[in-house]
Amino acid sequence: MSTEPNEIEITPEIVAEHGLTTDEYGRILNAMGRTPNRTELGIFSVMWSEHCSYKSSRVWLKTLPTEAPWVICGPGENAGIIDIGDGDAAIFKMESHNHPSFIEPYQGAATGVGGIMRDVFTMGARPVANMNALRFGSPDHHKTRQLVNGVVAGIGGYGNCMGVPTVGGEVNFDPAYNGNILVNAMCVGLAKTDRIFYSAAAGIGNPVVYVGARTGRDGIHGATLASAEFDDQSEEKRPTVQVGDPFTEKLLLEACLELMATDAIVAIQDMGAAGLTCSSVEMADKGGVGLELDLDKVPQRETGMSAYEIMLSESQERMLMVLEPGREDLARQIFAKWGVEFAIVGHLTDTGRFTLKQGGKVVGDIPVRPLVDDAPSYERPWEPTAPRPALAAADAPAPNDMGDALLQLVGGFDGCSRRWIWEQYDHMVMADTIAWPGGDAALVRVHGTKKALAISTDVTPRYCFADPVEGGRQAVAECWRNITAVGATPLAVTDCLNFGNPERPEIMGQLVGCIEGMGEACTALQFPVISGNVSLYNETNGVGILPTPAIGGVGLLKDADQRTGMAFQAEGESIVLLGETRGHLGQSLYLRDVLGRVEGPPPPVDLARERRTGDIVRGMIRSKLATACHDLSDGGLAVALAEMAIAGGIGATIDLPGTDIAPHAFLFGEDQARYLVTTTQPEVIQSMAEASGVPATVLGRTGGTELTVNKCLTISVEVLRDRHERTLPEHMAGS
């Protein structure tokens, strides 16, 4: 039997253990009008944690554009919603599960996937695609191989069991993540626009119902763990990591969707971070009502659980609902059919208070408003990141051998194939995946229609570290380009903002700068932010990660037959470079991986040029002028050519245009707003581009078994493929 925490005296030490400052505790005393008991303190602790309240970022998040004619619901709900026509809606969000995944890789990653799927299906959508954005430490760090193995297995294990395809994502390695990996999970679902469910509780006296797995002691203080930096004792926090059960979640999903086909549900909320506390409080706050819970009625899998443990547990696969009166028996029957726990645990009140009873006694009584609306919001001091000195062309010399340099890039850990990872995921289940992982964007058909959703996740952390504003712009622009490159119209963004300790002005400056750049790009590209997550304190012993504002984008292709991919399709086609090349090598993969240096500013992002070039490329794809398309990013033109050749199994012969740009800068520079297309009608492509003010250069033709850049390099496609494909399997095998 656990000690009843409400009987414990609240000392300054206990307040600090709950992650609350002295000033914040003073605010709690004012809100309560008395000293809270420990359950009440725990509730304030999780609701006011960085993870739940966004107290360091709220003021800046409000500057992001969130509206467009096709946006049905922006930030503030479990997930964002866009209208994709014909009465269909796409519902999506991305969230972090960073700290749990470092402590317990399999369960941390698995429950991250489970949690983001619940965010989507709680709104009435069936999940149809999962994505992820992963960052690990240096490949030769002693923990990296174990972390990669565990995280990939956890993602695959949960998603595969749920029968939801994992269709793509991104993976990077950098020493900055040695002590704090990033696991960002994204889910996209489909619903009908007239069958969307929200979380605002309504109807005084209406029953509050708990469904799903029983509550245990796993995950207690998970939200607090996610709101603090690591130290040498962090691995002792394993009990704060949740344990997932995808088979229970699959049953929960089907039961919820069946009940959603009736008129029984008033409001519904996933029990995610802070568990029963956060779901109850947020539902009551959004509805402007009070809520009373009888904790004796909460299904529990362990004996003697205190009110504190029940309210702060983050056991997985649980949901909270408000039902229409008289519909309880219908709901109970549906959940019984699926073998899922169902319990009426409370009701709505007109008191505006969050009241908890256990053993016939009131064990918690808190006004709802201070828990959410009056949570602290800080404008923390911040310092802008100092500009990097320009990198002169002479300071980034040509390699001794251009071919060897290209092999280094396509076989490096940030440029190699991720096949070893995505082959562990079921990416074809549900039979609507059109484009496999490994391309610019995933494509998933809207079942039974010609429509397809294009999905991509993107960010270049080294750019964000060198110049947060430019890096924020580039993250959005690259995601927009990847969706464009398959022929889809980019519609909206979800984000996952991963940063270090915001109490350090230089880290806060990175967050502010990245949000500024993101906002500018989202506005210019009509690519609004409709959902997201902020993950701060990603550092160990005072050493922070690279600023990593991951962008997850969704676009629409109205006719999937108009799509294109990046693989060369046939011999004898012209290869056209669209966009302006200046040979920018600052912060490039070439500079880092070939020359061993990280210097200079990142490439500038001209948002008007991005919009102009992307729009013309999309038109070329839809009119069937472009037989293949690939955007240029890490590694520049040379890596893009190699990837297209590897994907198609066809070589190419390239003649670099006569410019004053050094050949290695032309090949490896990472200038933005550029695409490669192949075509049988190069004159038409050039004419269309010229009419839109977009530079278009015919570089050469597809064909043969080698990639040849005249006077620079000649490499067989098989050698490129071998180097590209073998890096991760050999490393993970320990060879």
Side-chain angles (χ1 to χ4, degrees):
M1 194 81 168
S2 63
T3 303
E4 175 51 61
N6 285 355
E7 299 172 3
I8 298 173
E9 180 186 357
I10 304 302
T11 65
E13 291 75 21
I14 288 176
V15 171
E17 286 172 6
H18 283 75
L20 295 161
T21 67
T22 301
D23 287 345
E24 287 169 347
Y25 183 60
R27 293 179 60 154
I28 293 170
L29 293 176
N30 289 336
M32 295 285 289
R34 60 174 172 81
T35 299
N37 62 39
R38 200 176 186 205
T39 297
E40 294 164 337
L41 183 71
I43 288 170
F44 270 103
S45 164
V46 293
M47 291 302 300
W48 285 12
S49 69
E50 195 73 63
H51 190 74
C52 293
S53 73
Y54 300 128
K55 57 190 174 186
S56 296
S57 57
R58 282 210 311 272
V59 65
W60 300 104
L61 295 176
K62 291 177 181 178
T63 67
L64 291 170
T66 60
E67 297 179 349
W70 51 87
V71 174
I72 295 174
C73 177
E77 274 291 340
N78 289 287
I81 311 172
I82 55 174
D83 191 328
I84 59 171
D86 310 305
D88 295 322
I91 300 179
F92 60 96
K93 188 180 182 183
M94 179 159 53
E95 280 204 342
S96 62
H97 231 221
N98 303 335
H99 287 181
S101 298
F102 184 80
I103 294 172
E104 181 54 64
Y106 185 96
Q107 291 295 350
T111 52
V113 172
I116 198 63
M117 282 195 277
R118 287 196 304 280
D119 279 339
V120 167
F121 76 72
T122 191
M123 303 198 71
R126 179 173 291 279
V128 297
N130 287 331
M131 298 278 281
N132 51 73
L134 312 177
R135 266 85 197 179
F136 298 102
S138 173
D140 57 7
H141 188 269
H142 69 279
K143 285 184 67 76
T144 297
R145 191 179 284 113
Q146 171 219 345
L147 291 168
V148 173
N149 264 320
V151 166
V152 170
I155 291 170
Y158 208 103
N160 295 354
C161 290
M162 283 290 292
V164 177
T166 300
V167 295
E170 55 176 347
V171 183
N172 292 134
F173 296 86
D174 192 282
Y177 304 104
N178 280 347
N180 199 125
I181 65 172
L182 302 184
V183 175
N184 296 171
M186 178 178 174
C187 182
V188 182
L190 289 169
K192 291 297 182 181
T193 54
D194 60 353
R195 300 300 295 172
I196 294 171
F197 293 81
Y198 297 95
S199 59
I204 303 305
N206 279 358
V208 175
V209 173
Y210 172 120
V211 296
R214 290 174 175 251
T215 295
R217 291 190 171 96
D218 55 316
I220 293 174
H221 277 303
T224 307
L225 166 71
S227 305
E229 62 185 79
F230 280 160
D231 55 30
D232 292 333
Q233 281 72 51
S234 289
E235 295 206 28
E236 297 173 5
K237 299 176 181 177
R238 286 182 186 273
T240 63
V241 178
Q242 308 94 324
V243 177
D245 179 356
F247 299 104
T248 296
E249 177 138 329
K250 174 63 173 173
L251 297 173
L252 178 63
L253 162 67
E254 299 301 340
C256 285
L257 291 180
E258 182 172 337
L259 184 60
M260 286 168 170
T262 74
D263 60 355
I265 298 175
V266 175
I268 182 169
Q269 175 81 29
D270 160 47
M271 290 192 217
L276 185 54
T277 287
C278 195
S279 55
S280 303
V281 170
E282 288 190 353
M283 291 177 80
D285 179 70
K286 288 175 182 174
V289 297
L291 193 150
E292 181 177 305
L293 293 178
D294 184 344
L295 302 187
D296 293 329
K297 296 180 179 178
V298 173
Q300 298 163 47
R301 68 168 183 260
E302 301 183 46
T303 59
M305 290 189 71
S306 67
Y308 182 91
E309 291 170 328
I310 293 170
M311 295 309 300
L312 270 61
S313 167
E314 292 186 11
S315 294
Q316 296 292 286
E317 295 86 39
R318 302 180 300 161
M319 310 281 274
L320 199 66
M321 300 178 179
V322 176
L323 297 183
E324 291 282 0
R327 307 300 280 168
E328 299 93 332
D329 286 345
L330 168 68
R332 184 181 286 107
Q333 289 170 12
I334 289 173
F335 282 89
K337 182 184 87 171
W338 288 100
V340 176
E341 292 276 355
F342 175 98
I344 299 171
V345 295
H347 62 276
L348 303 184
T349 71
D350 61 1
T351 64
R353 301 185 73 82
F354 184 41
T355 305
L356 309 175
K357 292 184 176 179
Q358 189 178 38
K361 299 178 181 178
V362 173
V363 293
D365 188 21
I366 307 173
V368 170
R369 184 183 175 103
L371 287 169
V372 183
D373 299 342
D374 296 338
S377 180
Y378 298 126
E379 292 191 45
R380 296 196 185 277
W382 61 278
E383 297 173 358
T385 300
R388 297 291 181 101
L391 183 73
D395 293 334
N400 294 328
D401 185 300
M402 292 277 212
D404 285 348
L406 178 55
L407 288 172
Q408 277 186 261
L409 296 180
V410 299
F413 281 95
D414 275 357
C416 68
S417 169
R418 272 57 176 137
R419 182 183 298 273
W420 180 89
I421 293 173
W422 59 256
E423 282 190 339
Q424 299 183 53
Y425 307 149
D426 189 337
H427 49 274
M428 296 302 292
V429 66
M430 302 179 81
D432 281 316
T433 304
I434 299 172
W436 288 19
D440 286 311
L443 277 171
V444 177
R445 190 184 303 277
V446 177
H447 192 72
T449 75
K450 284 190 170 185
K451 297 183 295 190
L453 296 177
I455 314 164
S456 183
T457 58
D458 296 281
V459 65
T460 308
R462 65 183 187 277
Y463 289 179
C464 296
F465 184 71
D467 185 334
V469 177
E470 209 68 80
R473 291 190 193 112
Q474 194 273 341
V476 173
E478 185 174 351
C479 186
W480 192 86
R481 282 200 305 272
N482 280 328
I483 291 170
T484 292
V486 298
T489 300
L491 292 178
V493 157
T494 182
D495 59 45
C496 200
L497 308 182
N498 307 273
F499 292 82
N501 185 343
E503 296 168 49
R504 293 200 282 143
E506 68 275 19
I507 300 297
M508 194 65 209
Q510 294 172 354
L511 176 63
V512 172
C514 284
I515 291 176
E516 178 186 338
M518 289 166 51
E520 291 174 1
C522 288
T523 298
L525 301 174
Q526 287 190 287
F527 204 27
V529 179
I530 64 166
S531 62
N533 171 238
V534 179
S535 175
L536 304 179
Y537 296 94
N538 287 291
E539 53 184 73
T540 300
N541 294 326
V543 178
I545 62 164
L546 297 178
T548 311
I551 302 296
V554 172
L556 177 66
L557 191 57
K558 291 184 179 179
D559 183 351
D561 290 339
Q562 294 180 329
R563 70 188 182 276
T564 192
M566 72 178 187
F568 288 156
Q569 294 295 302
E571 300 209 357
E573 294 190 340
S574 296
I575 302 169
V576 184
L577 172 62
L578 295 160
E580 184 179 10
T581 297
R582 297 180 178 177
H584 187 99
L585 289 172
Q587 298 299 321
S588 66
L589 214 55
Y590 168 80
L591 191 72
R592 190 191 73 182
D593 289 2
V594 177
L595 300 186
R597 293 154 51 191
V598 181
E599 299 172 31
V605 179
D606 184 325
L607 293 168
R609 183 174 291 145
E610 289 281 0
R611 182 69 184 268
R612 189 163 56 246
T613 308
D615 288 349
I616 193 70
V617 166
R618 208 176 303 114
M620 292 171 181
I621 293 170
R622 292 181 182 176
S623 60
K624 297 292 186 179
L625 288 168
T627 56
C629 181
H630 190 20
D631 85 307
L632 274 63
S633 55
D634 278 350
L637 172 63
V639 168
L641 285 166
E643 289 173 341
M644 296 178 82
I646 292 167
I650 299 172
T653 300
I654 302 297
D655 285 304
L656 295 185
T659 71
D660 58 359
I661 302 171
H664 74 286
F666 200 99
L667 283 171
F668 300 118
E670 295 180 5
D671 305 288
Q672 301 294 292
R674 297 187 300 161
Y675 301 77
L676 279 175
V677 298
T678 56
T679 181
T680 59
Q681 303 178 66
E683 298 84 1
V684 179
I685 291 276
Q686 285 184 299
S687 177
M688 286 180 64
E690 182 180 344
S692 299
V694 174
T697 306
V698 178
L699 295 177
R701 298 175 75 79
T702 61
T705 60
E706 295 177 328
L707 174 61
T708 298
V709 180
N710 284 347
K711 300 180 181 178
C712 291
L713 60 88
T714 297
I715 310 177
S716 83
V717 174
E718 279 308 307
V719 169
L720 284 167
R721 184 194 307 280
D722 178 67
R723 182 66 71 89
H724 188 57
E725 295 280 356
R726 77 183 192 209
T727 301
L728 268 183
E730 288 183 356
H731 181 74
M732 295 308 296
S735 57

